[in-house]
């Protein structure tokens, strides 16, 4: 990570030392006014070292200092006597320096040790460094304030790497003593004092320049303090503030800021949602006869859940405002059928359909499904991928632009410049999590106002769905088609490998097929590729009678398709592959999957992979190879896979274990990061924030009312331009 506070994602568990962890800043970028003043123009002299340090962490403006969040707090309301220190807790004492010297510890490591005393005992301040500056810091006979985490050693009390301050201003200082003081993450102990001083000065001179972004009535309804009060409280809590709540980032001030973050996130999303709704869209004819024609295209009857979602989709489509709906459904729940039905409705009304998938393999599979199912309508379906020749591309574009091709199925090649439609009516996006919000909006902009159906097989916990898809209406397919037997999942270690292979052989003997998946981590693609290639060779020896195919991301598109075709047509029994097979691939005769290096995958990803089996009537297996280094955490994680086949349960666990940043890859998702709000903890707050945001946008869809001017400015500060980008449509 490149160190900028805004690059920080998930909230970290509380680290051991105060200075641990990068600086965290509220995602607010002051755009004008006094808060946008650069630190070096602040009007008083600043320590250049401190400014350099702050700049390095992305803290450049006066406002940025205000938005820097203290990680923990130190109770300096009353200073302690040395005899009152408690091992393992932070403590602050005043004492006189008795001795200060460098010592040589084990392995010749130099340490510095100063001994200080008050009337009740002595304590050693230790630094595992050396240098003249340390001696200067501890002049013999001087009274100092020393604070830090205290520990009891065989030599007595010790405070390693303490924060040391002259005790001269103890009685008079309103900043450093006689109060609860903030400790900022990402700064060393000895930097805390000057940073605290700066924060205090800025808080007292500038916090009144903060405009309150939230409307008063809203603030009062939710009992929220003003932003200025919250920030002052955060940096310099009142004497009666509850320390535990402060440390847990759950004080009234944190609450206000968490609401702020969630509210402006939701307001941005609500605007996107509304922005799409207010523009006139297509009111499709979804009358019963047309629905019957569509339903007859499917070779099976819809499940109850599918029927419900289809009803929601066709209701959306019949309305004049554009549909903007997300369909969530576990792997194998039959999302494609819903998309085919929606497409059939749009086609009968004379419109074109675009279907976008994240990989070429999946695009190709959808191409086959759509071609086959839509054939009775006489629809011309075309596959559009990046690997076509220039001439083919020109032809493809022409036939889309003149309307000869009615359905275009493709990868992100579909959203590239130059691809135009004659009359695009419906956009279907499969496996949404692979695409950013931006890409979705780019495709939507290709039609006058097409309806959009987004399908995702990564079940997303409700709070996250609200965060990520706050601009969409959500449907859930929570039922699998009949006749499925649950997949049985087992975690194996290296020693049990022969057993795993026996299980594969047993399935092959029944005429079934197998997947063997190798992890593909971007940074080491070559290594993994070697793994998969070598794996394929070793497996040839292991399964001498089986026909083994190899599929990986480096292969050319037509090679990939050829291998998939062989696997689908049962000319290949064992498909050795990297994660290219992850999404959507549908080969019902495959009944066993071995996942190598399973500990390297996220749970949701494992669940996705696993969903490639269990698609037929036969009982299916998923064997997770956990390697040698099976840490306790890895074991707990993988155990979840043995215990549950429910994508939502797994997603919740995954979120819990990995944090939202990693779960979502927030950086790509184009939404502001959360510094205070915690999606696990603040679910109720999120719902409140969403209600308020949607209510405001419903009444004033473009925030043009004068009383909403501050909201618009705050949105710009919090989304930093990303909102406009996202509204390209
Ligand atoms: P996913 O939701 O993972 O995209 P698919 O749409 O690929 O799932 O469907 C998985 C499999 O289930 C496909 O083989 C599909 O033909 C089949 N299927 C879907 N809906 C039904 C249904 N209602 N009855 C029987 N089979 C179905
Ligand atoms: Mg699918």
């Amino acid at each position: 990570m490149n160190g900028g506070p805004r690059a920080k994602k998930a909230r970290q568990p509380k680290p051991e030392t105060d200075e641990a962890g990068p600086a965290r800043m509220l995602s607010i970028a002051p755009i004008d006014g006094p808060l946008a003043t650069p630190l070096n123009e602040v009007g008083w002299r600043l320590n250049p070292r401190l400014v350099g340090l702050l700049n390095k962490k992305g803290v450049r403006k006066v406002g940025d200092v205000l938005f820097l969040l203290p990680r923990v707090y130190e109770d300096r309301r009353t200073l302690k006597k040395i005899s009152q220190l408690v091992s393992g807790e932070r403590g602050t004492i005043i004492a006189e320096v008795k001795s200060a010297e460098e010592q040589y510890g084990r392995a010749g490591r130099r340490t510095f040790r100063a001994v200080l005393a008050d009337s009740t005992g002595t304590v050693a301040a230790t630094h595992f460094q050396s240098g003249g500056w340390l001696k200067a810091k501890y002049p013999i006979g001087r009274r100092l304030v020393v604070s830090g985490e205290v520990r009891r050693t065989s030599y007595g009390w010790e405070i390693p790497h303490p924060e040391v301050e002259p005790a001269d201003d103890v009685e008079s200082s309103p900043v450093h003593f006689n109060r609860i003081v903030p400790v900022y993450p990402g700064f060393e102990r000895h930097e805390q004092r000057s940073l605290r001083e700066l924060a205090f000065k800025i808080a007292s001179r500038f916090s009144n320049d903060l405009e309150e972004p939230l409307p008063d009535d809203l603030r009062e309804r939710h009992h929220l303090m003003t932003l200025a009060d919250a920030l002052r409280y955060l940096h310099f809590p009142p004497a009666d503030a509850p320390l535990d709540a402060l440390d847990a980032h759950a004080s009234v001030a944190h609450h206000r800021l968490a609401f702020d973050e969630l509210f402006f996130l939701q307001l941005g999303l609500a605007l996107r949602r509304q922005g799409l709704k207010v523009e006139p869209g297509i009111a499709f004819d979804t009358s019963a006869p047309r629905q019957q024609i569509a339903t007859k295209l499917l070779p099976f009857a819809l499940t109850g859940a599918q029927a419900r979602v289809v009803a929601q989709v066709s209701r959306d489509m019949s309305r004049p405002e554009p549909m903007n709906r997300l369909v969530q459904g576990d792997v194998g729940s039959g999302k494609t059928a819903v998309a085919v039905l929606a497409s059939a409705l749009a086609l009968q009304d004379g419109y074109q359909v675009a279907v976008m998938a994240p990989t070429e393999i999946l695009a190709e599979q959808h191409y086959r499904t759509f071609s086959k199912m839509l054939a009775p309508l006489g629809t011309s379906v075309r596959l559009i991928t990046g690997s076509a020749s220039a001439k083919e591309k020109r032809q493809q574009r022409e036939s889309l632009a003149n309307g000869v091709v009615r359905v275009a199925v493709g990868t992100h090649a579909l959203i590239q410049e130059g691809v135009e439609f004659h009359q695009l009516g419906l956009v279907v996006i499969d496996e949404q999590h692979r695409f950013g919000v931006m890409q979705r909006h780019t495709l939507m902009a290709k039609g006058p106002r097409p309806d959009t159906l987004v399908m995702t097989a990564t079940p997303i916990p409700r709070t996250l769905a609200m965060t990520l898809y706050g601009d969409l209406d959500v449907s859930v397919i929570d039922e699998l088609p009949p006749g499925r037997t649950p997949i049985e999942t087992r975690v194996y270690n290296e020693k049990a490998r022969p057993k795993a292979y026996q299980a594969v052989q047993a399935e092959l003997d029944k005429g079934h097929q197998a997947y063997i998946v190798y992890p593909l981590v971007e940074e080491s693609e070559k290594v993994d590729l070697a793994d998969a290639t070598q794996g394929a060779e070793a497996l040839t020896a292991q399964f001498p009678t089986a026909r083994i195919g190899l599929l990986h991301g480096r292969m050319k598109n037509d090679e990939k398709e050829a291998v998939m075709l062989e696997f689908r047509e049962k000319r290949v029994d064992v498909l050795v592959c990297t994660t290219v097979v992850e999404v959507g691939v549908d080969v019902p005769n495959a009944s066993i999957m071995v996942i190598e290096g399973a500990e390297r995958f996220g749970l949701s990803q494992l669940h996705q992979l696993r969903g490639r089996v269990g698609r037929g009537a036969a009982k299916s297996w998923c064997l997770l190879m956990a390697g040698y280094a099976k840490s306790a955490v890895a074991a707990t994680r993988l155990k979840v896979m043995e215990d549950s086949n429910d994508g939502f349960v797994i997603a919740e666990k995954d979120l819990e274990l990995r944090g939202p940043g990693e779960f979502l890859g927030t950086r790509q998702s184009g939404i502001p990061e959360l510094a205070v709000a915690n999606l696990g903890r603040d679910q109720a707050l999120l719902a409140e924030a969403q209600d308020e945001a949607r209510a405001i946008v419903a009444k004033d869809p473009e925030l043009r009312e004068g009383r909403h001017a501050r909201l618009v400015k705050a949105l710009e500060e919090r989304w930093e331009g990303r909102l406009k980008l996202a509204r390209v449509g």
Side-chain angles (χ1 to χ4, degrees):
M1 215 168 293
N2 51 16
R6 276 153 218 265
K8 196 59 197 78
K9 293 186 290 182
R11 176 134 168 239
Q12 301 292 313
K14 214 164 160 181
E16 292 295 304
T17 54
D18 288 338
E19 53 278 0
R24 289 183 66 70
M25 214 165 28
L26 288 165
S27 183
I28 306 177
I31 37 186
D32 54 29
L35 292 185
T37 311
L39 280 180
N40 47 19
E41 293 167 23
V42 76
W44 66 83
R45 223 193 83 74
L46 286 179
N47 175 352
R49 232 188 71 82
L50 179 67
V51 174
L53 206 68
L54 285 165
N55 284 345
K56 240 181 29 208
K57 294 174 193 296
V59 181
R60 296 196 174 80
K61 297 174 182 174
V62 163
D64 295 339
V65 175
L66 279 179
F67 302 139
L68 200 59
L69 296 172
R71 193 182 65 76
V72 285
Y73 293 82
E74 196 160 278
D75 189 356
R76 294 191 182 177
R77 285 174 293 196
T78 53
L79 298 182
K80 287 190 168 129
K81 291 287 178 203
I82 290 174
S83 62
Q84 294 170 310
L85 291 174
V86 180
S87 187
E89 285 186 9
R90 287 196 305 275
T92 303
I93 49 125
I94 302 189
E96 189 182 307
V97 181
K98 293 296 178 193
S99 67
E101 57 189 9
E102 271 182 19
Q103 297 177 333
Y104 288 86
R106 260 171 286 136
R109 258 182 64 131
R110 285 200 286 184
T111 56
F112 178 89
R113 191 176 162 85
V115 176
L116 299 99
D118 69 5
S119 57
T120 66
T122 63
V123 65
T126 53
H127 294 261
F128 304 107
Q129 298 156 297
S130 63
W133 63 278
L134 277 168
K135 266 206 133 114
K137 214 167 159 174
Y138 296 92
I140 309 285
R142 186 75 183 273
R143 274 192 352 131
L144 297 175
V145 179
V146 178
S147 43
E149 190 141 313
V150 182
R151 61 186 192 206
R152 183 89 202 164
T153 70
S154 47
Y155 300 105
W157 290 114
E158 191 177 285
I159 307 183
H161 292 266
E163 182 180 351
V164 180
E165 299 165 59
D168 316 338
D169 57 355
V170 163
E171 278 75 30
S172 60
S173 166
V175 183
H176 305 297
F177 302 108
N178 311 310
R179 64 178 318 137
I180 299 171
V181 299
V183 179
Y184 298 93
F187 293 87
E188 303 283 336
R189 265 272 153 197
H190 65 265
E191 294 154 355
Q192 295 288 341
R193 184 182 164 97
S194 46
L195 180 54
R196 191 189 307 134
E197 209 155 287
L198 177 65
F200 188 80
K201 265 188 159 166
I202 287 181
S204 40
R205 298 210 193 164
F206 288 93
S207 60
N208 290 327
D209 293 319
L210 267 174
E211 286 169 42
E212 175 52 48
L214 296 178
D216 293 341
D217 58 325
L218 186 157
R219 242 177 3 86
E220 277 154 27
R221 246 190 329 277
H222 296 277
H223 311 288
L224 300 169
M225 56 205 312
T226 64
L227 182 57
D229 283 345
L231 289 171
R232 273 191 293 262
Y233 186 111
L234 214 68
H235 291 283
F236 295 97
D240 60 353
L243 256 184
D244 289 347
L246 280 170
D247 279 351
H249 292 195
S251 71
V252 282
H254 288 97
H255 180 75
R256 150 70 212 228
L257 294 175
F259 185 91
D260 194 292
E261 288 188 308
L262 297 171
F263 172 78
F264 283 104
L265 176 62
Q266 290 301 325
L267 188 62
L269 293 168
L271 278 176
R272 282 183 185 172
R273 181 169 177 265
Q274 189 67 32
L276 297 165
K277 282 227 162 99
V278 288
E279 307 209 14
I282 306 157
F284 290 98
D285 177 357
T286 63
S287 57
R290 295 221 163 154
Q291 294 217 29
Q292 272 163 20
I293 291 176
T295 317
K296 279 211 197 95
L297 298 170
L298 301 179
F300 41 70
L302 293 177
T303 63
Q306 280 171 322
R308 196 184 62 235
V309 173
V310 166
Q312 286 165 344
V313 168
S314 55
R315 187 164 8 93
D316 284 358
M317 287 181 71
S318 68
R319 290 189 179 143
E321 72 259 28
M323 168 168 76
N324 212 2
R325 184 168 287 279
L326 173 75
V327 175
Q328 279 197 58
D330 214 341
V331 278
S333 60
K335 294 181 290 295
T336 318
V338 173
V340 167
L341 288 188
S343 303
L345 289 174
L347 289 165
Q348 291 182 74
D349 234 350
Y351 286 91
Q352 288 170 293
V353 177
V355 182
M356 184 160 78
T359 64
E360 299 208 342
I361 289 195
L362 194 58
E364 196 263 346
Q365 180 177 291
H366 279 327
Y367 168 70
R368 289 184 315 107
T369 309
F370 278 74
S371 309
K372 198 164 73 197
M373 291 198 183
L374 295 173
L377 295 180
T379 307
S380 156
V381 182
R382 183 68 66 88
L383 181 66
I384 311 272
T385 62
S387 51
S389 72
K391 190 174 157 216
E392 282 170 334
K393 275 186 189 154
R394 208 173 41 246
Q395 284 171 351
Q396 286 174 351
R397 285 177 185 190
E398 239 175 68
S399 55
L400 284 177
N402 65 21
V404 169
V405 166
R406 311 305 298 166
V407 178
V409 184
T411 55
H412 55 272
L414 271 179
I415 61 171
Q416 266 148 20
E417 297 266 337
V419 178
E420 304 293 339
F421 290 82
H422 178 60
Q423 204 177 19
L424 182 60
L426 175 71
V427 170
V428 175
I429 302 180
D430 194 10
E431 314 294 354
Q432 151 75 16
H433 66 292
R434 291 291 187 96
F435 297 110
V437 175
M438 313 285 195
Q439 284 158 307
R440 168 154 48 91
H441 286 252
T442 311
L443 185 54
M444 281 149 71
K446 297 258 178 212
R449 218 7 110 179
D451 278 7
T452 306
L453 187 64
V454 178
M455 304 188 293
T456 176
T458 309
I460 293 169
R462 212 177 68 88
T463 46
L464 283 188
M466 282 168 75
T467 310
L468 198 58
Y469 304 127
D471 56 339
L472 299 174
D473 299 309
V474 178
S475 299
V476 180
I477 307 184
D478 51 6
E479 181 187 348
L480 293 180
R484 302 272 172 87
T485 14
I487 304 164
E488 190 149 334
T489 301
R490 290 270 168 275
V491 181
Y492 284 99
N493 60 21
E494 205 43 52
K495 267 195 295 197
R497 182 172 290 278
K499 268 211 244 158
Y501 286 152
Q502 275 165 29
V504 172
Q505 188 61 55
E507 288 304 305
L508 295 177
D509 291 345
K510 288 183 213 159
H512 296 157
Q513 290 159 284
Y515 292 101
I516 299 189
V517 184
Y518 286 83
L520 184 113
V521 179
E522 275 163 57
E523 310 92 74
S524 61
E525 203 170 341
K526 279 196 193 123
V527 178
D528 295 305
L529 194 54
D531 276 0
T533 318
Q534 278 170 15
E537 280 164 22
L539 289 165
T540 312
Q542 186 68 42
F543 304 109
T545 58
R547 291 156 299 180
I548 292 176
L550 177 63
L551 180 70
H552 59 73
R554 290 261 176 120
M555 284 161 62
K556 289 216 193 70
N557 201 37
D558 46 352
E559 294 172 344
K560 282 194 228 167
E561 269 168 36
V563 174
M564 271 321 290
L565 187 70
E566 287 185 313
F567 190 57
R568 204 174 285 122
E569 293 184 345
K570 254 197 105 187
R571 282 178 280 131
V572 157
D573 304 301
V574 178
L575 186 65
V576 179
C577 50
T578 54
T579 44
V580 279
V581 78
E582 177 185 348
V583 277
V585 170
D586 189 27
V587 179
N589 189 50
S591 63
I592 188 163
M593 173 176 280
V594 178
I595 303 178
E596 298 287 343
E599 72 278 0
R600 290 165 66 183
F601 293 95
L603 292 184
S604 293
Q605 203 187 0
L606 285 174
H607 183 64
Q608 286 254 307
L609 278 170
R610 173 171 73 177
R612 301 308 118 217
V613 294
R615 300 197 145 228
K619 180 179 173 93
S620 292
W621 300 85
C622 175
L623 311 182
L624 303 176
M625 303 303 301
Y628 296 98
K630 209 165 113 177
S631 73
V633 183
T636 326
R637 284 182 56 217
L638 294 177
K639 184 84 171 48
V640 175
M641 299 301 298
E642 286 187 352
D643 294 345
S644 177
N645 261 314
D646 182 330
F648 278 93
V649 172
I650 288 165
E652 292 279 1
K653 271 281 175 220
D654 210 13
L655 176 62
E656 195 182 304
L657 293 166
R658 288 198 299 167
E662 230 182 298
F663 184 89
L664 289 178
T666 1
R667 211 116 41 105
Q668 293 145 32
S669 66
I671 60 172
E673 317 222 348
L674 303 173
V676 187
N678 173 325
L679 293 175
R681 180 191 68 187
D682 297 326
Q683 304 203 3
L685 200 62
L686 177 61
E688 286 171 26
Q690 186 176 69
D691 288 348
E692 290 287 359
R694 288 192 170 183
I696 288 174
V697 171
K699 279 195 223 118
D700 181 11
E702 294 178 25
L703 301 186
R704 284 180 197 267
E705 287 174 28
R707 66 198 180 102
H708 290 151
R710 283 180 306 179
L711 288 179
V712 174
K713 183 171 178 216
L715 271 173
E716 275 167 27
E717 290 182 331
R718 282 152 178 77
W719 284 73
E720 291 181 69
R722 283 167 297 200
L723 199 56
K724 272 198 211 89
L725 256 177
R727 292 181 77 190
V728 285

